[in-house]
Structure formats: structure tokens, C-alpha cells
mmCIF file of all heavy atoms in Angstrom:
data_model
loop_
_atom_site.group_PDB
_atom_site.id
_atom_site.type_symbol
_atom_site.label_atom_id
_atom_site.label_comp_id
_atom_site.label_asym_id
_atom_site.label_seq_id
_atom_site.Cartn_x
_atom_site.Cartn_y
_atom_site.Cartn_z
ATOM 1 N N GLY A 1494 118.933 221.425 42.989
ATOM 2 C CA GLY A 1494 118.445 222.232 44.110
ATOM 3 C C GLY A 1494 117.396 223.249 43.716
ATOM 4 O O GLY A 1494 116.343 223.425 44.361
ATOM 5 N N MET A 1495 117.592 223.942 42.541
ATOM 6 C CA MET A 1495 116.725 224.928 42.069
ATOM 7 C C MET A 1495 115.405 224.301 41.620
ATOM 8 O O MET A 1495 114.326 224.917 41.711
ATOM 9 C CB MET A 1495 117.344 225.753 40.948
ATOM 10 C CG MET A 1495 118.505 226.577 41.332
ATOM 11 S SD MET A 1495 119.367 227.350 39.958
ATOM 12 C CE MET A 1495 118.046 228.519 39.405
ATOM 13 N N LEU A 1496 115.409 223.038 41.187
ATOM 14 C CA LEU A 1496 114.306 222.296 40.679
ATOM 15 C C LEU A 1496 113.601 221.601 41.912
ATOM 16 O O LEU A 1496 112.682 220.782 41.660
ATOM 17 C CB LEU A 1496 114.621 221.288 39.636
ATOM 18 C CG LEU A 1496 115.133 221.935 38.308
ATOM 19 C CD1 LEU A 1496 115.650 220.817 37.371
ATOM 20 C CD2 LEU A 1496 113.964 222.720 37.648
ATOM 21 N N ARG A 1497 114.058 221.833 43.094
ATOM 22 C CA ARG A 1497 113.413 221.224 44.346
ATOM 23 C C ARG A 1497 113.475 219.751 44.355
ATOM 24 O O ARG A 1497 112.571 219.068 44.646
ATOM 25 C CB ARG A 1497 112.020 221.760 44.547
ATOM 26 C CG ARG A 1497 111.915 223.270 44.631
ATOM 27 C CD ARG A 1497 110.539 223.798 44.932
ATOM 28 N NE ARG A 1497 110.465 225.193 45.052
ATOM 29 C CZ ARG A 1497 110.770 225.877 46.150
ATOM 30 N NH1 ARG A 1497 111.182 225.267 47.260
ATOM 31 N NH2 ARG A 1497 110.647 227.200 46.209
ATOM 32 N N MET A 1498 114.640 219.188 43.994
ATOM 33 C CA MET A 1498 114.835 217.741 43.973
ATOM 34 C C MET A 1498 115.598 217.237 45.204
ATOM 35 O O MET A 1498 116.018 216.059 45.224
ATOM 36 C CB MET A 1498 115.551 217.342 42.698
ATOM 37 C CG MET A 1498 114.853 217.649 41.415
ATOM 38 S SD MET A 1498 115.822 217.313 39.937
ATOM 39 C CE MET A 1498 116.039 215.538 40.104
ATOM 40 N N GLY A 1499 115.708 218.062 46.200
ATOM 41 C CA GLY A 1499 116.474 217.717 47.359
ATOM 42 C C GLY A 1499 115.957 216.448 48.067
ATOM 43 O O GLY A 1499 116.661 215.583 48.466
ATOM 44 N N GLN A 1500 114.617 216.306 48.147
ATOM 45 C CA GLN A 1500 114.021 215.213 48.888
ATOM 46 C C GLN A 1500 114.206 213.934 48.060
ATOM 47 O O GLN A 1500 114.394 212.788 48.682
ATOM 48 C CB GLN A 1500 112.574 215.442 49.105
ATOM 49 C CG GLN A 1500 112.198 216.575 50.058
ATOM 50 C CD GLN A 1500 112.584 216.299 51.454
ATOM 51 O OE1 GLN A 1500 112.869 215.159 51.845
ATOM 52 N NE2 GLN A 1500 112.519 217.303 52.351
ATOM 53 N N TRP A 1501 114.331 214.054 46.740
ATOM 54 C CA TRP A 1501 114.396 212.795 45.913
ATOM 55 C C TRP A 1501 115.766 212.071 46.137
ATOM 56 O O TRP A 1501 115.869 210.911 46.012
ATOM 57 C CB TRP A 1501 114.264 213.147 44.463
ATOM 58 C CG TRP A 1501 112.793 213.433 44.100
ATOM 59 C CD1 TRP A 1501 112.170 214.653 44.008
ATOM 60 C CD2 TRP A 1501 111.754 212.424 43.879
ATOM 61 N NE1 TRP A 1501 110.837 214.470 43.700
ATOM 62 C CE2 TRP A 1501 110.550 213.103 43.684
ATOM 63 C CE3 TRP A 1501 111.722 211.028 43.953
ATOM 64 C CZ2 TRP A 1501 109.359 212.440 43.386
ATOM 65 C CZ3 TRP A 1501 110.539 210.352 43.661
ATOM 66 C CH2 TRP A 1501 109.358 211.078 43.398
ATOM 67 N N PHE A 1502 116.807 212.897 46.394
ATOM 68 C CA PHE A 1502 118.121 212.293 46.648
ATOM 69 C C PHE A 1502 118.152 211.476 47.879
ATOM 70 O O PHE A 1502 119.147 210.738 48.097
ATOM 71 C CB PHE A 1502 119.206 213.385 46.620
ATOM 72 C CG PHE A 1502 119.650 213.827 45.253
ATOM 73 C CD1 PHE A 1502 119.036 214.849 44.618
ATOM 74 C CD2 PHE A 1502 120.657 213.142 44.592
ATOM 75 C CE1 PHE A 1502 119.449 215.328 43.373
ATOM 76 C CE2 PHE A 1502 121.077 213.555 43.350
ATOM 77 C CZ PHE A 1502 120.429 214.633 42.705
ATOM 78 N N ARG A 1503 117.190 211.630 48.742
ATOM 79 C CA ARG A 1503 117.105 210.817 49.977
ATOM 80 C C ARG A 1503 116.352 209.503 49.777
ATOM 81 O O ARG A 1503 116.342 208.693 50.649
ATOM 82 C CB ARG A 1503 116.484 211.613 51.114
ATOM 83 C CG ARG A 1503 117.205 212.950 51.344
ATOM 84 C CD ARG A 1503 116.384 213.809 52.325
ATOM 85 N NE ARG A 1503 116.340 213.173 53.599
ATOM 86 C CZ ARG A 1503 115.364 213.273 54.557
ATOM 87 N NH1 ARG A 1503 114.353 214.174 54.225
ATOM 88 N NH2 ARG A 1503 115.339 212.714 55.662
ATOM 89 N N ALA A 1504 115.702 209.392 48.540
ATOM 90 C CA ALA A 1504 114.910 208.187 48.350
ATOM 91 C C ALA A 1504 115.668 206.977 47.940
ATOM 92 O O ALA A 1504 115.495 206.510 46.779
ATOM 93 C CB ALA A 1504 113.857 208.553 47.279
ATOM 94 N N VAL A 1505 116.598 206.608 48.772
ATOM 95 C CA VAL A 1505 117.413 205.406 48.496
ATOM 96 C C VAL A 1505 117.353 204.483 49.719
ATOM 97 O O VAL A 1505 117.348 204.963 50.842
ATOM 98 C CB VAL A 1505 118.881 205.820 48.183
ATOM 99 C CG1 VAL A 1505 119.743 204.567 47.881
ATOM 100 C CG2 VAL A 1505 118.994 206.768 47.129
ATOM 101 N N SER A 1506 117.270 203.152 49.439
ATOM 102 C CA SER A 1506 117.148 202.249 50.527
ATOM 103 C C SER A 1506 118.292 202.359 51.464
ATOM 104 O O SER A 1506 119.467 202.534 51.057
ATOM 105 C CB SER A 1506 117.159 200.788 49.909
ATOM 106 O OG SER A 1506 117.346 199.840 50.982
ATOM 107 N N PRO A 1507 118.043 202.376 52.802
ATOM 108 C CA PRO A 1507 119.124 202.439 53.816
ATOM 109 C C PRO A 1507 120.180 201.335 53.565
ATOM 110 O O PRO A 1507 121.381 201.514 53.821
ATOM 111 C CB PRO A 1507 118.403 202.290 55.113
ATOM 112 C CG PRO A 1507 117.066 202.798 54.846
ATOM 113 C CD PRO A 1507 116.754 202.391 53.445
ATOM 114 N N ALA A 1508 119.688 200.145 53.150
ATOM 115 C CA ALA A 1508 120.687 199.083 52.936
ATOM 116 C C ALA A 1508 121.707 199.428 51.883
ATOM 117 O O ALA A 1508 122.847 199.048 51.949
ATOM 118 C CB ALA A 1508 119.965 197.808 52.583
ATOM 119 N N VAL A 1509 121.187 200.100 50.826
ATOM 120 C CA VAL A 1509 122.071 200.515 49.717
ATOM 121 C C VAL A 1509 123.065 201.600 50.213
ATOM 122 O O VAL A 1509 124.280 201.566 49.912
ATOM 123 C CB VAL A 1509 121.311 200.985 48.492
ATOM 124 C CG1 VAL A 1509 122.291 201.472 47.451
ATOM 125 C CG2 VAL A 1509 120.386 199.912 48.005
ATOM 126 N N VAL A 1510 122.534 202.594 50.903
ATOM 127 C CA VAL A 1510 123.385 203.704 51.460
ATOM 128 C C VAL A 1510 124.484 203.132 52.369
ATOM 129 O O VAL A 1510 125.636 203.452 52.291
ATOM 130 C CB VAL A 1510 122.528 204.765 52.161
ATOM 131 C CG1 VAL A 1510 123.437 205.773 52.755
ATOM 132 C CG2 VAL A 1510 121.578 205.348 51.139
ATOM 133 N N ARG A 1511 124.041 202.312 53.333
ATOM 134 C CA ARG A 1511 124.985 201.781 54.278
ATOM 135 C C ARG A 1511 126.001 200.842 53.587
ATOM 136 O O ARG A 1511 127.181 200.858 53.929
ATOM 137 C CB ARG A 1511 124.244 201.016 55.384
ATOM 138 C CG ARG A 1511 123.303 201.863 56.184
ATOM 139 C CD ARG A 1511 123.971 202.987 56.854
ATOM 140 N NE ARG A 1511 123.047 203.885 57.521
ATOM 141 C CZ ARG A 1511 123.353 205.083 57.956
ATOM 142 N NH1 ARG A 1511 124.520 205.535 57.808
ATOM 143 N NH2 ARG A 1511 122.434 205.779 58.615
ATOM 144 N N GLY A 1512 125.486 200.096 52.587
ATOM 145 C CA GLY A 1512 126.396 199.233 51.811
ATOM 146 C C GLY A 1512 127.373 200.043 51.010
ATOM 147 O O GLY A 1512 128.524 199.652 50.902
ATOM 148 N N MET A 1513 126.929 201.203 50.419
ATOM 149 C CA MET A 1513 127.815 202.070 49.713
ATOM 150 C C MET A 1513 128.903 202.612 50.630
ATOM 151 O O MET A 1513 130.101 202.543 50.227
ATOM 152 C CB MET A 1513 127.009 203.225 49.081
ATOM 153 C CG MET A 1513 127.886 204.222 48.340
ATOM 154 S SD MET A 1513 126.957 205.691 47.805
ATOM 155 C CE MET A 1513 126.783 206.593 49.401
ATOM 156 N N LEU A 1514 128.532 203.041 51.736
ATOM 157 C CA LEU A 1514 129.559 203.641 52.697
ATOM 158 C C LEU A 1514 130.528 202.511 53.193
ATOM 159 O O LEU A 1514 131.747 202.775 53.279
ATOM 160 C CB LEU A 1514 128.887 204.238 53.907
ATOM 161 C CG LEU A 1514 128.054 205.501 53.614
ATOM 162 C CD1 LEU A 1514 127.290 205.956 54.859
ATOM 163 C CD2 LEU A 1514 128.888 206.625 53.003
ATOM 164 N N ALA A 1515 130.016 201.316 53.435
ATOM 165 C CA ALA A 1515 130.852 200.223 53.908
ATOM 166 C C ALA A 1515 131.788 199.829 52.752
ATOM 167 O O ALA A 1515 132.975 199.542 53.001
ATOM 168 C CB ALA A 1515 130.014 199.026 54.375
ATOM 169 N N GLY A 1516 131.290 199.767 51.495
ATOM 170 C CA GLY A 1516 132.159 199.409 50.398
ATOM 171 C C GLY A 1516 133.260 200.412 50.193
ATOM 172 O O GLY A 1516 134.465 200.048 49.917
ATOM 173 N N ILE A 1517 132.858 201.709 50.321
ATOM 174 C CA ILE A 1517 133.922 202.711 50.255
ATOM 175 C C ILE A 1517 134.960 202.533 51.391
ATOM 176 O O ILE A 1517 136.171 202.741 51.169
ATOM 177 C CB ILE A 1517 133.273 204.107 50.311
ATOM 178 C CG1 ILE A 1517 132.460 204.445 49.007
ATOM 179 C CG2 ILE A 1517 134.350 205.210 50.515
ATOM 180 C CD1 ILE A 1517 131.597 205.637 49.106
#
């Protein structure tokens, strides 16, 4: 957060994020 990397953590394909949540 101090290094201003907040936006980078959002740079993940929606298919991967949704797949991660569904897998969980």
C-alpha cells in the first residue's frame, strides 16, 4: 500500500478471480 501497488492487485483476469472464488 505504501508503494502504491493497490491498482496492481486488481490486474487479474476476471475468469481467474471468479474461478478462485468458485473453487473456494
Side-chain angles (χ1 to χ4, degrees):
M1495 294 176 67
L1496 294 172
R1497 300 185 179 278
M1498 296 175 63
Q1500 295 290 348
W1501 285 100
F1502 278 92
R1503 302 173 64 207
V1505 182
S1506 167
V1509 177
V1510 174
R1511 300 303 176 191
M1513 179 188 74
L1514 294 176
I1517 291 170

